[in-house]
Amino acid sequence: MFLTSNHQILEHVLGDRKFLKKSDKYKFLKPWLGNGLLTSEGEIWKKHRRLLTPAFHFEILQEFVQVFEKCGDILVERFQNEIGHSFDVYPYVTFCTLDIIYESIMGVNLNVQKGDSAEYVDSVHDMTRIMIERSVSPIQVHDFLYRFTKNYSTQKRALEHLHRQSTEVINARKKELQEMRNLGRSSKATKSKKVFLDLLLEARIDGRGLTQEEVDTFLFAGHETTASAVSFTLFCLANHPDVQEKALEEQRSIFPDENKMKVTHADLQSMKYLELVIKESMRLYPPVPIIGRQIPTDTKFGDKLLPQGDSLIIFSFGIHREEKYFEDPEKFYPERFERRDGKLPYGYIPFSAGPRNCIGQKFAMLELKSVVSKIVRNFELQPTFPVHELQLVAESTLKSANGVKVKMHPRKLNFAF
Ligand code: HEM
């Protein structure tokens, strides 16, 4: 494995269609995600990407805002139970982002924030941990030897649950569609709105359906990443009261009328300062801290030869903290992005870059703004005492082993939504 935070190598690799194949470490995710967009390659990837890209069109994203808002409201309600003491926001936020992904692109309302989906979340955690452990273990890397390890039986259990869950989502949507069709017969006015999952249910590529593997892929890629981003943004805001105050000022200017209850797509678009805050949080805490590609042919970079077939691991976390690209890199300073846009495109890559970048990045940005702004309007975020020291771990997404802890107090201001 060749781990790099070198900007020139990145520019070469991420921008070049020859380097589209993921590193062979991603094969450890295949029993779960199959040939979904994240793990597939070659023609299959190209066809899936072409088919799925229109589902993230600007106009379609606007329709999701009310889902973000509704799920964010439930999150705010749940935070009320934690007022005044230090607690880990991550599990709460994870259930919220799961609800969002289920309801927005899958079109099913499982309401996990009000119930309990701990087994799904734990299974995702097991699979991503096992993927990283297998990548670096001389024993577990071999399929045969792996069968004799504890991780193998953990994976078996996790997969059973994950696939059961995605089947449940698919069946729930099919049932809903059937009900809508039945209703449509009696009332012409009832027209079902198509969601991403419907596109998958209808699609056939080379005679093959792609529903389950893409449902698994988008459920995973669409909730763990955003949970990580929201949690670390809240942590940064709690520990930087001056930044939080500016973000709040912006909210006051967008919502001068406390009775205005409905947050629109245009409102989210106008949260320019909050966008800088989120960008800066993702610089310091990139939700996907490493990205892997396979080297297609022997390739020379300066005096180094990268042999064909080896894994090139792009260390986004390291790139984002390089002094060469970011002055005073450890400092949380959202304003740095006011001057930076357009410069050094591969020096800031929370969503990766080039043709294999994140298909859901615009969706993610809207979701993050909706959820974080709601929390800022409802709570004053404070640091814990003593200040919580994060223990960062990369389990395909960035987490903190000892949680992401903050304190919350209800805002006295009249931000009643
Ligand atoms: C803050 C939130 C997010 C971050 C930071 C993020 C980051 C990334 C990164 C770095 C990649 C490239 C991974 C690699 O090359 O191994 C990626 C790919 C991907 N992301 Fe996201 N993502 C986010 C949210 C989402 C959401 C909300 C969705 C779906 C609704 C999504 C769906 C995907 C998919 C399907 C891919 C694979 C794309 C391909 O290979 O063509 N992501 N994401």
Side-chain angles (χ1 to χ4, degrees):
M1 268 195 263
F2 182 80
L3 182 95
T4 185
S5 61
N6 179 308
H7 174 251
Q8 270 117 25
I9 296 184
L10 291 190
E11 196 158 347
H12 191 102
V13 170
L14 292 176
D16 187 341
R17 287 196 159 261
K18 282 209 296 288
F19 283 84
L20 285 184
K21 191 168 172 185
K22 296 287 174 78
S23 120
D24 68 348
K25 311 298 171 211
Y26 286 63
K27 72 177 179 218
F28 302 130
L29 287 174
K30 283 228 169 178
W32 172 23
L33 306 178
N35 270 325
L37 204 58
L38 188 67
T39 37
S40 59
E41 55 199 54
E43 278 305 303
I44 296 186
W45 171 77
K46 242 196 238 163
K47 286 179 180 170
H48 283 216
R49 180 93 190 195
R50 205 175 301 135
L51 181 88
L52 300 178
T53 297
F56 291 90
H57 190 271
F58 164 78
E59 278 171 18
I60 296 176
L61 295 185
Q62 300 199 24
E63 292 174 11
F64 297 143
V65 172
Q66 291 323 309
V67 177
F68 301 158
E69 286 295 312
K70 187 179 107 183
C71 299
D73 283 338
I74 300 173
L75 179 64
V76 164
E77 227 177 277
R78 296 185 78 218
F79 278 156
Q80 301 289 354
N81 300 328
E82 300 285 0
I83 295 291
H85 58 263
S86 112
F87 74 104
D88 179 11
V89 291
Y90 187 83
Y92 285 92
V93 174
T94 305
F95 279 7
C96 173
T97 58
L98 249 184
D99 261 348
I100 288 177
I101 206 79
Y102 281 136
E103 196 168 342
S104 56
I105 68 170
M106 301 301 168
V108 297
N109 185 352
L110 295 190
N111 231 332
V112 295
Q113 292 192 91
K114 294 206 165 152
D116 183 12
S117 256
E119 209 181 339
Y120 176 79
V121 174
D122 290 347
S123 303
V124 170
H125 181 202
D126 282 335
M127 286 306 294
T128 51
R129 174 186 57 75
I130 288 172
M131 178 211 177
I132 299 292
E133 284 180 17
R134 288 196 74 185
S135 307
V136 292
S137 156
I139 291 173
Q140 297 188 47
V141 78
H142 297 289
D143 287 343
F144 178 73
L145 296 177
Y146 175 57
R147 285 174 193 209
F148 301 99
T149 65
K150 189 165 174 249
N151 272 347
Y152 181 74
S153 43
T154 308
Q155 165 168 331
K156 223 171 142 202
R157 248 194 336 270
L159 281 181
E160 261 168 38
H161 187 79
L162 292 167
H163 287 149
R164 198 174 340 120
Q165 182 85 359
S166 47
T167 308
E168 196 181 307
V169 168
I170 293 165
N171 290 341
R173 182 63 188 167
K174 280 183 177 164
K175 190 166 160 233
E176 208 160 293
L177 286 176
Q178 189 55 47
E179 279 166 8
M180 284 180 189
R181 253 179 251 127
N182 294 344
L183 272 176
R185 251 174 243 139
S186 52
S187 149
K188 282 217 162 101
T190 318
K191 202 155 189 259
S192 79
K193 202 170 62 186
K194 268 202 179 167
V195 297
F196 175 79
L197 178 55
D198 303 342
L199 180 77
L200 297 178
L201 289 169
E202 286 164 8
R204 282 275 172 284
I205 285 186
D206 303 332
R208 217 173 45 88
L210 53 156
T211 312
Q212 176 119 31
E213 54 201 7
E214 290 300 6
V215 169
D216 281 314
T217 297
F218 278 81
L219 279 183
F220 164 56
H223 94 275
E224 267 237 332
T225 46
T226 43
S228 173
V230 170
S231 302
F232 286 112
T233 304
L234 296 180
F235 181 80
C236 291
L237 284 167
N239 286 282
H240 296 88
D242 49 331
V243 173
Q244 190 179 158
E245 192 52 40
K246 270 182 93 169
L248 182 66
E249 270 314 306
E250 181 180 71
Q251 293 301 311
R252 285 196 187 109
S253 70
I254 298 171
F255 303 106
D257 176 4
E258 68 192 69
N259 296 317
K260 179 182 179 302
M261 295 299 283
K262 199 164 180 248
V263 178
T264 62
H265 179 256
D267 293 329
L268 297 178
Q269 294 291 63
S270 63
M271 296 178 186
K272 298 290 177 209
Y273 186 69
L274 188 64
E275 190 167 318
L276 303 182
V277 171
I278 291 169
K279 280 183 169 173
E280 177 68 343
S281 305
M282 288 200 293
R283 181 183 69 80
L284 283 171
Y285 305 105
V288 183
I290 46 176
I291 300 167
R293 293 289 160 87
Q294 194 176 94
I295 299 161
T297 48
D298 285 358
T299 310
K300 251 194 133 194
F301 287 114
D303 58 347
K304 289 184 183 60
L305 177 75
L306 307 188
Q308 177 185 11
D310 273 12
S311 286
L312 181 71
I313 308 293
I314 296 164
F315 187 39
S316 314
F317 185 94
I319 296 157
H320 290 180
R321 288 172 187 245
E322 280 266 7
E323 198 141 32
K324 269 186 285 180
Y325 315 139
F326 297 99
E327 207 181 305
D328 204 355
E330 300 292 326
K331 187 173 167 194
F332 180 74
Y333 179 53
E335 285 77 2
R336 72 171 82 236
F337 280 97
E338 274 170 355
R339 293 173 279 113
R340 220 183 150 275
D341 276 352
K343 276 189 226 158
L344 209 59
Y346 298 98
Y348 178 68
I349 49 166
F351 294 106
S352 187
R356 254 206 119 156
N357 66 355
C358 175
I359 196 171
Q361 60 182 288
K362 293 209 171 77
F363 176 103
M365 219 33 195
L366 272 184
E367 175 181 343
L368 298 180
K369 281 179 165 178
S370 164
V371 175
V372 175
S373 67
K374 193 173 283 295
I375 295 168
V376 168
R377 291 194 299 270
N378 280 279
F379 301 102
E380 184 185 340
L381 298 158
Q382 289 182 353
T384 60
F385 184 78
V387 171
H388 183 60
E389 295 282 344
L390 297 168
Q391 288 174 11
L392 298 178
V393 278
E395 284 175 354
S396 79
T397 56
L398 191 72
K399 297 188 185 124
S400 171
N402 57 347
V404 184
K405 292 189 182 167
V406 303
K407 265 166 61 176
M408 289 188 189
H409 290 280
R411 283 221 180 269
K412 299 205 171 51
L413 290 161
N414 293 329
F415 270 129
F417 44 94

